[in-house]
Amino acid sequence: MKFICSKQTLYDAIVNVSKAVSERSTLPSLEGIKFSLADSLLELTGYNLEMGIRTVISVRSEDKGSCIINARLFSEMIKKMSADEVLIDISESYQVTISGGVTKFNMFAASAEDYPELPEKDSETQIPIAQPVLKNMISQTKFAVALTEDKPILKGELFDIENNTLTMVAIDGYRMAVRYEPVKFSEPIKFVVPSKSLSEIQGLLSDNEEDTVFIHPSRKHIIFDIGGYVVYSRLLEGDFHPYKSAIPNSSNTDVVVDRKELISTLERAMLLINDRSPSPVRCYFENDHVKINCTTALGKISDEINAEISGPVIEIGFKCKYLLDPLKVIDDEKVKLKMGGSLLAMKIVPCEGEKYTYLVLPVRLPRE
């Protein structure tokens, strides 16, 4: 088969589809991209049995055919081509010729006969959501996904839809991130999407409020239709942590603080913290001031910022990074910190509304 297309359009499609290509697989065909040509449309597919990405681009051709081409090498060749348009010619013996201007590459392709089929939509369920909204929800929760294999279900994020509200939840045992957004979908449904799939989906989502992503969940897999790209992912099986019961309903001490000022203070403390000196930050809330202290083998810091504090004085310790992570992804100028005691989780919420809830577990402070 033979086709002509824009170098940049082809390169962008290869790069995005390659995110689902296996680096090493017992099935050699999964280490490449499947190309299928028909009716002047070129379909590109990457699939690693956990996640698949498919897109279609327009080309100039009257041919039909399919093959598999090594993703990394083909991508680099297209990127280095000197012309804006490229001609791809694949012979019956699967020899690939890439030409454009005075540049010509040759490489080999393989038959697509053994390439596995991607899952099909097996339900009528369709959940529409604005692309920048989902992009923001992923960005503001993924930091709290578990990295260990202790509980595989926690390596994904829970999508919980109820009463026209989508709740996304990530939890790793030390902190929890919860984001809420209204959606045009009323049926109750829950599923857990692997964090790795969500990271790739986030990269494909646009910032245009007019663009919509359509989510098609089924029992074992899910499909995200992202205007030009279709992403397939397996779902994680098991019971997700009961997040609703983990969120405290009351607090004794409430603190309204400037988010950026608190971040700056904690980042100064982080200068003294590393894997060899993992000391907690000591936070003292009193008289409309937040005092931050940290002592490690590298040195000592004492810092202070203003805040609006109601309730009894409280001293509480945190692993600095765990407190910084949620603060960095929040967009609000000010946030509210709600605490029930020095050994109970801190709850971070908006000063107005209920767009997010973050929980951070404290650490027991040594006596000074």
Side-chain angles (χ1 to χ4, degrees), residues 87-357:
L87 167 64
I88 313 294
D89 190 350
I90 304 161
S91 71
E92 291 185 2
S93 58
Y94 295 106
Q95 181 166 320
V96 183
T97 302
I98 308 159
S99 54
V102 295
T103 308
K104 182 181 289 186
F105 278 116
N106 288 100
M107 65 180 297
F108 289 97
S111 168
E113 286 183 9
D114 297 331
Y115 200 85
E117 291 296 324
L118 271 66
E120 297 291 335
K121 295 174 187 173
D122 57 8
S123 78
E124 298 300 317
T125 303
Q126 176 174 281
I127 306 163
I129 183 168
Q131 289 194 30
V133 171
L134 181 59
K135 186 176 185 177
N136 184 261
M137 293 181 82
I138 296 170
S139 171
Q140 293 186 330
T141 52
K142 68 179 183 180
F143 70 86
V145 172
L147 301 177
T148 65
E149 297 285 350
D150 295 345
K151 292 183 179 179
I153 190 77
L154 297 184
K155 293 195 75 175
E157 293 201 41
L158 174 68
F159 284 60
D160 184 2
I161 298 180
E162 196 173 22
N163 299 324
N164 293 103
T165 298
L166 167 61
T167 304
M168 280 182 63
V169 186
I171 183 170
D172 66 0
Y174 303 98
R175 60 262 173 99
M176 183 167 76
V178 186
R179 274 283 277 112
Y180 312 94
E181 286 288 347
V183 291
K184 295 177 181 178
F185 190 82
S186 57
E187 299 174 27
I189 188 171
K190 292 182 183 181
F191 47 86
V192 181
V193 184
S195 178
K196 187 176 186 307
S197 298
L198 289 176
S199 291
E200 303 302 351
I201 288 164
Q202 180 186 356
L204 294 171
L205 293 166
S206 82
D207 296 316
N208 188 341
E209 292 285 350
E210 301 298 318
D211 293 339
T212 301
V213 53
F214 296 94
I215 304 173
H216 306 269
S218 59
R219 196 168 64 87
K220 290 194 173 183
H221 67 267
I222 188 165
I223 297 173
F224 292 80
D225 196 339
I226 312 175
Y229 287 89
V230 180
V231 181
Y232 306 74
S233 175
R234 70 179 179 90
L235 293 175
L236 296 179
E237 298 181 22
D239 294 325
F240 201 82
H241 188 81
Y243 71 94
K244 291 180 182 178
S245 61
I247 300 174
N249 293 319
S250 61
S251 61
N252 296 323
T253 303
D254 290 358
V255 180
V256 175
V257 64
D258 184 282
R259 182 182 64 87
K260 289 184 179 179
E261 284 188 10
L262 183 54
I263 287 174
S264 295
T265 304
L266 294 171
E267 285 181 337
R268 288 192 284 271
M270 280 292 288
L271 295 174
L272 303 177
I273 299 170
N274 58 32
D275 292 338
R276 293 183 179 180
S277 303
S279 300
V281 288
R282 188 182 293 265
C283 305
Y284 193 75
F285 299 89
E286 182 186 32
N287 296 331
D288 287 341
H289 286 85
V290 181
K291 297 178 181 178
I292 303 287
N293 293 284
C294 184
T295 303
T296 76
L298 297 175
K300 184 176 181 179
I301 184 173
S302 177
D303 213 339
E304 186 175 313
I305 59 173
N306 296 326
E308 300 171 31
I309 301 175
S310 60
V313 173
I314 186 170
E315 185 178 43
I316 188 168
F318 294 99
K319 187 172 181 178
C320 195
K321 181 181 184 304
Y322 290 169
L323 187 52
L324 266 172
D325 283 346
L327 293 170
K328 285 183 174 181
V329 298
I330 294 169
D331 299 322
D332 299 339
E333 184 179 332
K334 292 189 175 185
V335 293
K336 182 178 287 188
L337 317 177
K338 300 172 76 69
M339 292 161 283
S342 60
L343 296 178
L344 299 176
M346 173 190 280
K347 183 177 174 182
I348 305 173
V349 295
C351 294
E352 295 180 5
E354 298 180 345
K355 194 173 183 180
Y356 55 81
T357 298

Side-chain angles (χ1 to χ4, degrees), residues 70-83:
N70 179 277
R72 185 192 63 79
L73 182 58
F74 191 55
S75 162
E76 288 301 315
M77 287 179 173
I78 297 298
K79 182 180 180 181
K80 301 297 184 184
M81 291 300 293
S82 56

